[in-house]
Amino acid sequence: MEQEIKHSPLGASTCHRWWECPGSVKLIATLPEQEQSFDAAKGTAAHIMAEKLLKRFKEGKKFDIESWIGHTEMIGDYEIEYTEDMVEAVTVYIDAIQYETKRLGTGVQFLSIEEPFNLDVDKEAWGINDCSLYIPFDRLLVWDYKNGVGVVEVYNNKQLMYYALGALKGKDVDRVDTYIIQPNAYHPEGVVRRCSYTIDQLKDFEKQLKIHIGHTRRTNAPLRAGDHCKWCPAIGDCPEVRAETEIIAKQDFATVKDFPTEHLIKLVSMSPRILDFLKEAQLTLKAKAERGETVEGFKLVKAKSNRIWSDPKAVVNSFSNIFGDEMYGERKLKTPAQMEKMAKGILQNDELLPYIEKPNNGLQLVLNSDPRKAVKESAGEDFKDV
């Protein structure tokens, strides 16, 4: 996998956005190329590691995943360190693929890793699949690794169906199993989630895909604000989001308790993209100030930071004979998830459960699309049978 890989403007990862907002493609094309974020760079580094390890697995070579801990990778302007948590997350992905490959007994010759593809629906419909496994005349498995903490749903996921079409070309199967592997985000269905499609279902999606790509080609392709605006690079330049911001600005928030429920729902539904819009405005002002432009009412200051050791090993070598163990803080107990991993093959599955609890941090209002189960509508219902 190339570190500086280019993405199609009509690619799988942005399909959910331009499907709902056809005008976003042309709007984004007018903007300077967006700089990669630190989190995106971490995701790229994780994919590089996963690709190298999976290729060694396919070649029948041994590999030590934990040996990656402490190594660094330059991704653009960022130096990314492979931490224990990062290596543990990628291990989940590698283990899942190894398990299915061995369980299905197909042999690694049918395993494809970081495989490029082109779809017939449009010349700009292309991409790269993280990993797929072909079982001739039976099924195709397609995996997509997510390193982020924002929950991604596997069901009717347009990005995964797009990838499935790419992996399916030239293969004879009855169904395609798509997988999201997301170790860093909690989901009630676990970190490995699956959704299966028949070939007819994917063909129907392919027809719809061609239609929606056509919508982006229109001269006056419409802009539509919604949940899909998250991570859109044009959010700070979008007239639709700007119009919503103006609606918020005109509100008299002293009377917000008197707003009808429908009005409150509309305001809260808009809030994520409004906040993203304001964040983009803040970053733009900061960039202007850094270029020497006067920003009335604001100033640049050094960000707060804590002192750190420039070379921890040198500190240990220089002072351990003086301070001994007093140089170190208290040992930190590993998390339940880390302990459960250590306990495999040593303890029974439920031996740790009596020692684990989930703190009650109260209630949170979220969108219906959130995977968490809804609680009872009122506290009174909890006591109605008492």
Side-chain angles (χ1 to χ4, degrees):
M1 175 176 171
E2 297 295 333
Q3 293 184 25
E4 299 298 330
I5 188 170
K6 297 294 182 182
H7 295 278
S8 165
L10 295 170
S13 61
T14 56
C15 182
H16 68 287
R17 185 189 66 228
W18 50 257
W19 192 285
E20 302 296 335
C21 181
S24 63
V25 177
K26 288 185 177 180
L27 180 59
I28 292 169
T30 65
L31 304 176
E33 188 173 351
Q34 189 181 33
E35 293 184 6
Q36 189 178 38
S37 69
F38 178 73
D39 287 338
K42 282 178 62 178
T44 300
H47 276 83
I48 290 172
M49 174 188 173
E51 178 188 359
K52 291 180 178 179
L53 293 174
L54 282 173
K55 284 183 175 178
R56 289 189 68 84
F57 168 63
K58 185 173 180 178
E59 293 165 359
K61 297 178 181 178
K62 292 183 179 180
F63 54 85
D64 180 8
I65 296 181
E66 292 190 355
S67 67
W68 282 70
I69 297 173
H71 287 211
T72 59
E73 189 92 44
M74 285 304 300
I75 307 294
D77 295 329
Y78 301 105
E79 183 177 17
I80 305 298
E81 179 183 356
Y82 290 101
T83 64
E84 184 177 348
D85 288 344
M86 193 172 179
V87 170
E88 184 178 329
V90 173
T91 300
V92 174
Y93 174 59
I94 302 294
D95 287 350
I97 294 171
Q98 286 181 318
Y99 171 78
E100 291 295 342
T101 303
K102 293 174 181 177
R103 182 180 72 85
L104 296 169
T106 59
V108 293
Q109 69 268 27
F110 293 111
L111 192 67
S112 296
I113 304 158
E114 295 293 334
E115 189 76 22
F117 64 84
N118 292 277
L119 300 184
D120 296 329
V121 295
D122 192 272
K123 63 181 180 180
E124 290 189 296
W126 50 268
I128 299 177
N129 271 317
D130 286 353
C131 189
S132 63
L133 178 65
Y134 175 42
I135 307 173
F137 312 113
D138 182 10
R139 77 188 81 163
L140 177 68
L141 284 69
V142 179
W143 289 278
D144 188 39
Y145 175 77
K146 301 293 185 187
N147 196 64
V149 297
V151 174
V152 179
E153 293 294 346
V154 71
Y155 300 107
N156 298 314
N157 184 305
K158 294 181 178 64
Q159 181 180 11
L160 280 180
M161 287 190 279
Y162 193 118
Y163 286 149
L165 288 175
L168 187 60
K169 290 190 69 173
K171 298 179 178 68
D172 186 359
V173 296
D174 294 325
R175 79 177 203 220
V176 178
D177 297 337
T178 62
Y179 293 82
I180 287 286
I181 300 184
Q182 193 174 22
N184 296 319
Y186 167 77
H187 193 287
E189 294 179 14
V191 297
V192 180
R193 305 185 287 279
R194 185 186 73 179
C195 182
S196 299
Y197 300 97
T198 65
I199 303 306
D200 286 341
Q201 287 174 319
L202 289 174
K203 285 182 177 179
D204 287 340
F205 172 73
E206 186 176 37
K207 292 175 183 177
Q208 290 298 313
L209 183 65
K210 186 172 184 178
I211 291 171
H212 281 82
I213 288 177
H215 291 167
T216 70
R217 307 286 194 198
R218 293 179 181 175
T219 303
N220 296 313
L223 292 164
R224 299 191 184 99
D227 294 342
H228 49 270
C229 295
K230 186 70 173 174
W231 310 123
C232 178
I235 194 166
D237 300 83
C238 179
E240 287 296 303
V241 177
R242 188 162 58 247
E244 288 190 336
T245 306
E246 291 171 356
I247 291 173
I248 296 289
K250 292 176 182 177
Q251 300 299 320
D252 178 7
F253 290 102
T255 61
V256 69
K257 290 183 179 179
D258 298 326
F259 285 3
T261 301
E262 295 78 12
H263 194 55
L264 289 172
I265 290 172
K266 184 175 181 180
L267 288 175
V268 174
S269 297
M270 290 191 299
S271 63
R273 51 188 175 274
I274 301 302
L275 291 173
D276 286 339
F277 180 87
L278 295 176
K279 182 180 178 181
E280 186 68 22
Q282 186 180 39
L283 290 174
T284 302
L285 270 183
K286 179 173 175 282
K288 287 177 179 288
E290 289 174 339
R291 291 195 297 267
E293 186 175 332
T294 299
V295 180
E296 192 67 33
F298 291 86
K299 61 183 178 181
L300 287 175
V301 298
K302 287 187 177 182
K304 292 182 179 179
S305 63
N306 294 322
R307 296 182 303 161
I308 61 173
W309 297 117
S310 57
D311 188 345
K313 289 183 179 179
V315 174
V316 173
N317 292 335
S318 299
F319 301 105
S320 59
N321 62 326
I322 300 173
F323 297 110
D325 289 344
E326 291 186 25
M327 291 175 59
Y328 302 96
E330 293 183 9
R331 288 187 298 172
K332 183 180 178 182
L333 190 63
K334 288 190 173 183
T335 66
Q338 291 171 328
M339 288 281 283
E340 285 172 338
K341 185 177 179 182
M342 290 173 55
K344 285 182 180 178
I346 301 174
L347 302 178
Q348 297 297 320
N349 292 339
D350 57 355
E351 283 190 63
L352 290 174
L353 289 180
Y355 302 93
I356 300 172
E357 67 175 19
K358 283 198 78 173
N360 184 354
N361 291 330
L363 301 179
Q364 183 181 7
L365 183 68
V366 298
L367 294 171
N368 283 332
S369 58
D370 190 283
R372 287 169 289 184
K373 184 179 179 180
V375 299
K376 294 178 180 179
E377 293 182 0
S378 69
E381 291 190 32
D382 291 329
F383 303 98
K384 65 181 182 181
D385 296 326
V386 177

